[in-house]
Amino acid sequence: MSFKDKVVIVTGASSGIGAAVAVGFSSEGARVVMVGRNENKLASVAARCNEPLVVKADVGNDEDAKRIIDRTIDHFGQIDVLVNNAGIGAWGNLVSGKLVESYDTVMRVNLRAVVNLTSLATPHLIKTKGNVINISSIGGLIPASAKSGLSMYAVSKAALNHFGTCAAAELAEYGVRVNTVSPGPVVTDILENAKSPITWDDFKKMTALDRVSQPEEIADLVMFLASDKAKAITGSNHISDNGVSVKRF
């Protein structure tokens, strides 16, 4: 797949799936805009890309979101692909409390920021007949375990899934595609950041294939959906979960 001269914005590009996506698109000739909050981590990933535009920003901040789009247009003049990857988890449950706090924290980044950034990018995507890839989670399709304390993360991803289909329905007439990728367990720093008691070994036991994914596996799927090979695909949700969703059967 070649993305030569295509401009790709990747949020949450400082680590995990976002880093793999940024490096993957760059390796295929894309002009990548890397968005994240950690300058040191961004610099480390940028060193593996070909002259990316690095934007330190919090996607949940409206001024930062506008700056991401403005800097991309000023620097590259167009937007072809928007990968809404930035996401966070926050621990909380009904019994122990902090559920509303968890809700407010994750919804600001996992849903509102995606809606806002997609809205800001839409006029530019219409010009290029580009596409949007939203990174959701298998957690948006099945209940979060009580042990994980990540129920509001799951709720945010369920909402993100529906936003993706709504956006796809609206933008199809303009030639803009919108798709969703729902990974299962992927080794990133999200559990550490969320201070969750659950571990990657715990997640491994939940899968039918007895494994967890590496970020590059998800990057490959994202790039396929963004490519012309997927020109007939919009409004879809692609699951890559090592069989989490089928193990119960």
Side-chain angles (χ1 to χ4, degrees):
M1 292 176 285
S2 174
F3 291 94
K4 182 176 173 55
D5 297 327
K6 300 291 186 181
V7 176
V8 182
I9 298 175
V10 183
T11 68
S14 60
S15 64
I17 292 172
V21 169
V23 172
F25 272 112
S26 182
S27 70
E28 294 295 334
R31 296 177 288 175
V32 176
V33 181
M34 296 174 48
V35 180
R37 295 180 297 175
N38 188 306
E39 280 187 297
N40 290 335
K41 288 184 177 180
L42 280 171
S44 178
V45 179
R48 299 159 56 197
C49 298
N50 182 27
E51 298 183 353
L53 171 62
V54 178
V55 182
K56 181 186 177 184
D58 176 359
V59 295
N61 179 288
D62 287 358
E63 291 183 2
D64 279 10
K66 184 177 184 302
R67 182 165 55 84
I68 292 165
I69 301 302
D70 289 346
R71 285 202 60 191
T72 299
I73 297 303
D74 289 344
H75 193 79
F76 289 128
Q78 66 192 63
I79 301 172
D80 296 278
V81 182
L82 170 63
V83 182
N84 286 308
N85 167 72
I88 59 174
W91 186 90
N93 60 35
L94 288 167
V95 175
S96 300
K98 294 189 176 181
L99 192 66
V100 173
E101 180 183 339
S102 170
Y103 173 89
D104 289 340
T105 299
V106 300
M107 283 301 211
R108 182 182 74 90
V109 175
N110 295 5
L111 182 63
R112 188 183 185 283
V114 173
V115 173
N116 187 33
L117 202 56
T118 303
S119 178
L120 293 169
T122 288
H124 306 287
L125 291 167
I126 288 174
K127 291 178 182 178
T128 60
K129 295 189 183 302
N131 64 85
V132 179
I133 311 291
N134 294 324
I135 306 301
S136 184
S137 168
I138 190 64
L141 300 171
I142 59 177
S145 70
K147 181 181 179 182
S148 74
L150 294 174
S151 61
M152 291 302 97
Y153 174 84
V155 168
S156 73
K157 294 302 188 178
L160 178 61
N161 293 346
H162 200 61
F163 170 68
T165 57
C166 291
E170 178 180 352
L171 297 179
E173 68 176 284
Y174 302 100
V176 176
R177 298 185 295 112
V178 182
N179 289 293
T180 301
V181 172
S182 288
V186 180
V187 179
T188 68
D189 57 5
I190 190 170
L191 293 185
E192 179 183 352
N193 292 341
K195 295 180 173 57
S196 174
I198 203 168
T199 68
W200 293 117
D201 283 340
D202 293 328
F203 271 116
K204 183 178 178 181
K205 296 171 186 175
M206 298 176 189
T207 71
L209 296 178
D210 194 34
R211 69 184 298 273
V212 295
S213 293
Q214 295 299 316
E216 290 74 17
E217 298 171 43
I218 308 305
D220 287 342
L221 180 53
V222 169
M223 288 191 291
F224 166 73
L225 289 172
S227 75
D228 288 341
K229 292 184 178 182
K231 60 187 176 183
I233 302 175
T234 195
S236 66
N237 188 349
H238 292 256
I239 299 170
S240 180
D241 70 346
N242 291 298
V244 171
S245 56
V246 300
K247 183 165 184 177
R248 75 188 90 172
F249 303 111

